[in-house]
Amino acid sequence: MKVAPDTVRTWRRRFLDRGLDGLSDEPRPGVPRKITDADVERVIVKTLEEKPPNATHWSTRSMAAATGMSQSAVSRIWRAFALAPHRSENFKLSTDPLFIDKVRDVVGLYLDPPEKALVLCVDEKSQIQALDRSQPVLPMMPGVPERRSHDYVRAGTTTLFAALEVATGKVIGSLHRRHRAVEFKKFLAKLDKEVPAGLDVHLILDNYVTHKTPAIKKWLLAHPRFHLHFTPTSSSWLNLVERWFAELTQKKLKRGVHRSVQALERDIRNWLADWNEHPRPFAWTKTADEILDKVAAYCRRISDSGH
């Protein structure tokens, strides 16, 4: 039960002395409780079912004024029931008619990959901007964070084609100035060259038009060991390489300063090489049934979902 032995002894002794009555908590010292269960229920119901007349969501101060409680009391109640009216998250349900089949296909590759095959998550991070701040960045000092100007000067853009190996976390990357089927075909040729000839290649990728052009289909016919698995529309979260792109953005691009596209590409290549020296695979834990059950729960809660 993850409690101390003394705690177990105390409750066993109380049960032996007084039976079930001994399992009730004893009165505690201090000022008697002023906020009743009805007051707590009133705050929770008001938070979940009503909105303030002059705002889109409640704050601790507005709820305290509406209920006649103190701000600290409202804050404690919200923390106890994990309510956070100030927070908001985004979501979008896929309307792909083959959503269930595609989820099972992709998740099956993550959790039970085929033998003598390599599973690669492929995508493009397009329009990566080489940004230079309009004024020099002020470095961090004791008590003062790093400071930078809000405006910037853009020197150009580049596109990163990346393939994340699910089993090991290694990444095969290629940088191109444009984002067309021609560049994607070159990237496929690079994958064909770097992946051992005796292995089949299963590519997980999205429904971008450059992945389905006649030139790409013709290339795939000439390379039968490549098998494409498409994620459902509006479901980029299903592609593990997106998680790797988030690492790249947070650790290198977001606060980077680059005065040219060449400098930006050099930094990306260096970061990619450093990653591949100590790769870290991303472990997929959700089964297809768990994902579909959660989506079904959303669909039952919202209207006009199209499902």
Side-chain angles (χ1 to χ4, degrees):
M1 300 298 295
K2 298 181 180 180
V3 296
D6 288 341
T7 302
V8 177
R9 297 189 191 99
T10 297
W11 287 99
R12 291 176 67 178
R13 185 171 59 253
R14 291 176 60 174
F15 176 72
L16 291 174
D17 293 341
R18 289 182 286 167
L20 292 177
D21 293 337
L23 300 182
S24 300
D25 203 3
E26 296 178 346
R28 296 178 179 273
V31 180
R33 179 182 175 191
K34 296 180 180 179
I35 300 176
T36 65
D37 291 342
D39 294 330
V40 174
E41 181 182 1
R42 182 159 54 93
V43 172
I44 296 173
V45 172
K46 203 172 189 65
T47 303
L48 295 177
E49 299 181 3
E50 299 180 21
K51 291 184 178 181
N54 58 347
T56 59
H57 59 277
W58 293 101
S59 66
T60 53
R61 290 177 175 82
S62 61
M63 179 59 71
T67 58
M69 298 183 182
S70 66
Q71 179 187 352
S72 59
V74 173
S75 180
R76 288 195 300 270
I77 294 173
W78 281 356
R79 283 198 303 270
F81 290 89
L83 295 174
H86 64 285
R87 295 184 59 188
S88 176
E89 296 181 352
N90 298 323
F91 78 97
K92 182 177 182 180
L93 291 176
S94 172
T95 56
D96 194 320
L98 299 177
F99 177 80
I100 295 177
D101 295 335
K102 291 181 177 179
V103 168
R104 294 193 183 279
D105 182 33
V106 174
V107 175
L109 288 174
Y110 290 152
L111 300 180
D112 188 19
E115 296 182 358
K116 296 182 180 181
L118 202 64
V119 179
L120 299 175
C121 297
V122 176
D123 203 359
E124 304 89 10
K125 186 171 180 60
S126 59
Q127 298 296 310
I128 305 175
Q129 301 184 80
L131 302 179
D132 183 21
R133 297 294 163 177
S134 60
Q135 297 176 10
V137 176
L138 300 179
M140 176 180 60
M141 298 177 62
V144 180
E146 179 184 272
R147 290 172 291 176
R148 62 186 61 230
S149 61
H150 70 278
D151 54 343
Y152 55 84
V153 178
R154 193 175 77 167
T157 62
T158 189
T159 295
L160 172 63
F161 291 75
L164 171 69
E165 186 178 338
V166 174
T168 64
K170 291 184 178 181
V171 177
I172 301 173
S174 181
L175 289 164
H176 298 275
R177 299 296 174 86
R178 302 187 67 178
H179 185 197
R180 304 170 300 174
V182 175
E183 285 75 25
F184 182 62
K185 184 178 177 181
K186 293 179 180 178
F187 183 60
L188 289 177
K190 181 175 182 178
L191 294 180
D192 186 39
K193 182 179 179 181
E194 296 197 14
V195 175
L199 297 177
D200 283 349
V201 184
H202 294 265
L203 302 183
I204 298 173
L205 64 169
D206 60 21
N207 296 271
Y208 194 62
V209 65
T210 58
H211 302 157
K212 302 178 180 181
T213 62
I216 299 300
K217 293 179 180 179
K218 184 178 179 180
W219 189 92
L220 291 172
L221 289 175
H223 299 77
R225 71 173 181 143
F226 279 77
H227 309 277
L228 269 57
H229 305 262
F230 293 100
T231 61
T233 55
S234 305
S235 300
S236 59
W237 51 268
L238 201 55
N239 198 332
L240 276 179
V241 75
E242 296 290 350
R243 183 64 190 87
W244 184 81
F245 283 151
E247 289 283 308
L248 171 63
T249 301
Q250 289 294 327
K251 295 183 177 180
K252 194 63 181 178
L253 301 179
K254 188 174 182 179
R255 292 170 60 174
V257 175
H258 304 95
R259 294 180 173 84
S260 66
V261 177
Q262 291 81 0
L264 171 63
E265 292 179 340
R266 183 170 56 252
D267 271 2
I268 293 176
R269 289 192 183 98
N270 292 338
W271 195 86
L272 177 60
D274 181 73
W275 173 276
N276 284 331
E277 287 183 4
H278 305 283
R280 300 179 299 278
F282 299 102
W284 189 272
T285 58
K286 292 286 187 180
T287 65
D289 288 338
E290 289 174 334
I291 295 172
L292 296 175
D293 288 344
K294 190 170 184 178
V295 173
Y298 272 114
C299 294
R300 287 192 293 268
R301 292 178 59 187
I302 64 177
S303 59
D304 301 324
S305 65
H307 286 66

